[in-house]
Amino acid sequence: MSLSPAQKIGGAFAASAYTLWGIAPLYFKQIDFVPAQEILIHRVVWSFVLLVLIVFAMQQWSKVQQILAQPKMVLALLGTSLILGGNWGLFIWAVNNHHMLDASLGYYINPLLNVLLGMFFLGERLRKFQWLALSLAATGVLIQLVTFGSVPWIALTLACTFALYGLFRKKLAIDAITGLFVESLLLLPLALYYWWQFADSSAADFSQNSWSLNLWLVAAGFVTTVPLLFFIAGAKRLQLSTMGFFQYIGPSFMFVFGVWLYNETLTTAKLVTFGFIWLALIVYSLDAYLALRKRPAVQVIE
């Protein structure tokens, strides 16, 4: 099956998005002396600034105004923004406190949770191989719980929050950029209040920082927003089922970094759980590939 030029470009955008998400821990490690909650503040503030410029450049203000004119929609986006902020904060904390392998495991689990949520809340029917993949993943977690007496709570929390965020945003059916802009707008007062009242690390005062540290902190906006723009560009050119084949790039980078770059311990409990999750993802990917082959060709508009 040959790919159109648009699909090839879409694949490049998708691979770039997931690669940038995968190497994001390298950025957070550069400022790991800054408390995770303060890094989260910078992620919110500078993402908002960058999104203002993007919304202005794309002339999307009318869409933003339409959203803000709907109180129920704003309330719903406040809920998704808090879920997203919690996910961001936990991810930063995990990376900078030697839990990168747990973060990797969480984002390996995420696509399987997406399938499960789709069944419960979107009326999607699961195929046999999808049931098998979910069973293998659950087995891996249960073995760690029963045999080793530990719960991979960081991985499960990251996977659940990101899956729930994706589900709620899908049901809201809002444009990705304007939706993220409104979410960052809603988080902005909380971030600024925390920065003003509670941030007390040595990096909290920009006027006392070196210019290089301030650049690292401002870069949080680019680390957050640029991969999302690549993801949107890829999603416009590819079917979502095709996009799914790229989603393992990110956690694979995290796994490699955690084990070989930052020397995190790959315990027996984690290795067993990873083994079942990887087997589950092989089954899941095979099922997705077979389902994709059965579909009629879809013309992609460039």
Side-chain angles (χ1 to χ4, degrees), residues 6-20:
Q7 289 174 316
K8 292 178 180 178
I9 295 173
F13 275 123
S16 299
Y18 284 109
T19 298
L20 288 174

Side-chain angles (χ1 to χ4, degrees), residues 3 12 19 28 66 68 70 84 107-108 114 118 121 146 157 173 175 197 217 225-226 236 249 264 281 284 302:
L3 298 176
T19 298
F28 292 117
Q66 290 173 6
L68 295 178
Q70 305 175 62
L84 183 62
Y107 288 107
Y108 275 129
N114 288 338
F121 297 102
V146 175
T157 304
D175 175 77
Q197 286 288 337
L217 295 173
T225 307
V226 172
K236 286 181 178 179
I249 295 175
E264 290 189 13
L281 291 175
Y284 169 81
E302 299 188 43

Side-chain angles (χ1 to χ4, degrees), residues 182-245:
V182 174
E183 288 172 333
S184 65
L185 174 64
L186 295 172
L187 286 175
L188 185 65
L190 297 175
L192 292 176
Y193 181 75
Y194 187 94
W195 196 352
W196 175 46
Q197 286 288 337
F198 300 105
D200 58 0
S201 77
S202 59
D205 187 349
F206 259 34
S207 65
Q208 300 299 316
N209 294 339
S210 65
W211 65 268
S212 59
L213 175 56
N214 286 338
L215 284 178
W216 277 111
L217 295 173
V218 171
F222 293 89
V223 170
T224 300
T225 307
V226 172
L228 176 65
L229 296 177
F230 285 162
F231 176 82
I232 294 169
K236 286 181 178 179
R237 294 168 172 84
L238 297 173
Q239 296 178 15
L240 287 180
S241 56
T242 306
M243 288 287 291
F245 288 105

Side-chain angles (χ1 to χ4, degrees), residues 251-298:
S252 297
F253 271 112
M254 295 177 206
F255 182 86
V256 171
F257 293 154
V259 175
W260 284 285
L261 186 59
Y262 297 110
N263 300 314
E264 290 189 13
T265 303
L266 185 59
T267 63
T268 302
K270 287 182 181 177
L271 185 59
V272 169
T273 304
F274 267 111
F276 274 92
I277 297 298
W278 286 332
L279 184 57
L281 291 175
I282 291 172
V283 173
Y284 169 81
S285 299
L286 177 61
D287 173 81
Y289 175 74
L290 294 175
L292 185 63
R293 289 285 297 244
K294 292 180 181 178
R295 290 181 183 178
V298 177

Side-chain angles (χ1 to χ4, degrees), residues 14 54 85 92 116 138 145 158-159 167 174 220 230 239 242 254 267 276:
I54 293 171
I92 295 167
L116 191 62
L145 173 61
L158 285 173
L167 172 68
I174 299 174
F230 285 162
Q239 296 178 15
T242 306
M254 295 177 206
T267 63
F276 274 92

Side-chain angles (χ1 to χ4, degrees), residues 56-71:
F56 179 79
M58 298 182 65
Q59 300 181 342
Q60 299 291 307
W61 289 112
S62 60
K63 292 184 178 180
V64 173
Q65 291 172 344
Q66 290 173 6
I67 294 174
L68 295 178
Q70 305 175 62

Side-chain angles (χ1 to χ4, degrees), residues 19-63:
T19 298
L20 288 174
W21 277 324
I23 65 176
L26 299 180
Y27 161 77
F28 292 117
K29 282 289 190 181
Q30 293 299 313
I31 50 175
D32 61 1
F33 56 90
V34 180
Q37 60 270 26
E38 291 188 21
I39 299 176
L40 176 60
I41 289 170
H42 290 287
R43 195 169 186 179
V44 172
V45 171
W46 303 117
S47 293
F48 172 77
V49 173
L50 185 56
L51 284 165
V52 168
L53 299 177
I54 293 171
V55 170
F56 179 79
M58 298 182 65
Q59 300 181 342
Q60 299 291 307
W61 289 112
S62 60
K63 292 184 178 180

